Amino acid sequence: MGKSLVGNHIRKLRFNHDEMTQQQLADKVGVTRQTIVALEKGNYSPSLELAFRIAHSFDLPLEEVFFYGDTIEK
């Protein structure tokens, strides 16, 4: 299975939120650290519920955390 068309800015957002660790985010949204790793690598598309929980954890709207398409984050 290839890379997902759903991308995200999770890694950058974690860094900008007091250098939050993957484990801290995982604990906050109720998933494993491995799930956060897979999301950041683009190997996993979150459920809608998880996407909203992640966006809420950063106090941002969904579209500022996730994007759709073949745009590659630099």
Side-chain angles (χ1 to χ4, degrees):
M1 191 159 128
K3 294 269 186 186
S4 170
L5 289 179
V6 176
N8 66 74
H9 303 288
I10 294 172
R11 183 180 169 132
K12 178 174 60 174
L13 289 167
R14 282 192 307 101
F15 183 80
N16 291 336
H17 280 77
D18 297 324
E19 298 184 16
M20 178 189 296
T21 67
Q22 291 172 330
Q23 187 64 59
Q24 288 170 321
L25 179 58
D27 291 344
K28 197 169 187 177
V29 300
V31 297
T32 65
R33 185 186 65 80
Q34 289 80 7
T35 299
I36 301 301
V37 170
L39 283 165
E40 288 184 358
K41 288 182 176 182
N43 294 333
Y44 174 70
S45 293
S47 67
L48 189 54
E49 179 183 353
L50 178 55
F52 274 106
R53 286 196 317 250
I54 292 169
H56 181 70
S57 74
F58 292 118
D59 199 27
L60 292 171
L62 193 65
E63 62 272 9
E64 289 188 29
V65 179
F66 295 93
F67 57 89
Y68 179 77
D70 56 0
T71 306
I72 299 173
E73 182 178 315
K74 305 230 183 231

